[in-house]
Amino acid sequence: GAVVSQHPSRVICKSGTSVKIECRSLDFQATTMFWYRQFPKKSLMLMATSNEGSKATYEQGVEKDKFLINHASLTLSTLTVTSAHPEDSSFYICSASGGGNEQFFGPGTRLTVL
Amino acid sequence: SQQGEEDPQALSIQEGENATMNCSYKTSINNLQWYRQNSGRGLVHLILIRSNEREKHSGRLRVTLDTSKKSSSLLITASRAADTASYFCATDASGYGQNFVFGPGTRLSVLP
């Protein structure tokens, strides 16, 4: 149980376009979802925390207008990278929590902005 | 801010040897969790140890926690080539799975 999926797993886009990444909890209701960013050979940096039906809480330094997060249901959260630039290229990982101690992580999405 | 710090940042051992990775943190925690990440993949939860626990085992994994020193260690015994991955500790101050703080990770290479 506790499976989290992400889609797409890999995306390449042109500079200036927007990209949407989906995160789904497949077998449990995720009251909270988290979005992380990971640079090569680096650790995970929390970008934002979202609770179903409410606005996401962004970490310091993360632009909320650039990284739009929607958590419309207990099984789906989306991250939209708006007007993407090459510096937004990264590995984006979501995780979901059903209220317990653990976060269950998705497989990640590799974004490459040309 | 990052408070978990793994040591060493990279570790290379031969198959069959034991691998020990350490994690230090700065503030009080409810629990500490270890994760594994294969290259370019998501994180796999390995083990959770609560602040009132000192040691936990899971298969070939042994985790210790010393809250007085604010440190934890992950021991992998009889390592295999398939153990090659990055290992991260994450601290949870809330106890509700919120606000994880990840360390920089240890890249473990197990050579056949």
Side-chain angles (χ1 to χ4, degrees):
Chain A
V3 177
V4 175
S5 69
Q6 271 182 252
H7 177 79
S9 58
R10 188 181 295 266
V11 57
I12 300 173
C13 69
K14 292 183 178 180
S15 188
T17 60
S18 295
V19 174
K20 180 185 283 189
I21 302 170
E22 291 186 349
C23 177
R24 292 182 187 273
S25 58
L26 299 185
D27 51 4
F28 69 103
Q29 293 187 325
T31 51
T32 308
M33 285 185 166
F34 306 85
W35 286 95
Y36 294 85
R37 183 173 180 175
Q38 185 179 32
F39 291 103
K41 298 184 179 180
K42 297 294 184 183
S43 188
L44 280 72
M45 297 291 293
L46 180 65
M47 298 174 66
T49 301
S50 73
N51 293 295
E52 185 263 341
S54 60
K55 289 185 178 180
T57 301
Y58 290 81
E59 294 299 301
Q60 193 172 10
V62 178
E63 299 176 59
K64 62 178 70 174
D65 294 330
K66 179 161 189 66
F67 298 101
L68 301 178
I69 291 171
N70 185 285
H71 190 167
S73 76
L74 285 171
T75 59
L76 173 64
S77 176
T78 60
L79 168 68
T80 301
V81 183
T82 62
S83 187
H85 288 95
E87 57 266 30
D88 298 324
S89 297
S90 192
F91 194 57
Y92 292 88
I93 303 178
C94 74
S95 70
S97 170
N101 293 119
E102 291 186 40
Q103 292 182 22
F104 301 97
F105 286 81
T109 296
R110 182 159 308 283
L111 170 64
T112 303
V113 184
L114 303 176
Chain B
S1 62
Q2 293 285 326
Q3 69 165 350
E5 297 181 6
E6 278 90 349
D7 164 39
Q9 292 197 356
L11 179 63
S12 187
I13 59 174
Q14 294 292 134
E15 211 167 19
E17 294 181 339
N18 296 342
T20 299
M21 290 160 270
N22 302 299
C23 168
S24 62
Y25 57 93
K26 296 188 175 79
T27 61
S28 296
I29 62 171
N30 175 277
N31 65 78
L32 185 146
Q33 305 186 33
W34 283 92
Y35 288 85
R36 166 199 168 117
Q37 183 182 35
N38 287 71
S39 181
R41 307 294 293 273
L43 273 70
V44 175
H45 184 264
L46 296 177
I47 201 163
L48 179 155
I49 187 165
R50 301 184 193 282
S51 59
N52 61 353
E53 297 175 311
R54 292 296 167 258
E55 187 172 311
K56 282 189 86 168
H57 297 254
S58 177
R60 292 184 296 113
L61 305 181
R62 173 178 168 251
V63 168
T64 63
L65 178 65
D66 187 334
T67 53
S68 66
K69 295 181 180 177
K70 290 185 168 59
S71 67
S72 173
S73 68
L74 170 66
L75 168 67
I76 303 175
T77 59
S79 64
R80 305 166 182 167
D83 294 328
T84 295
S86 290
Y87 293 83
F88 295 93
C89 70
T91 55
D92 177 6
S94 70
Y96 299 106
Q98 307 272 334
N99 299 318
F100 279 12
V101 179
F102 282 86
T106 294
R107 293 192 306 281
L108 173 66
S109 297
V110 182
L111 306 174

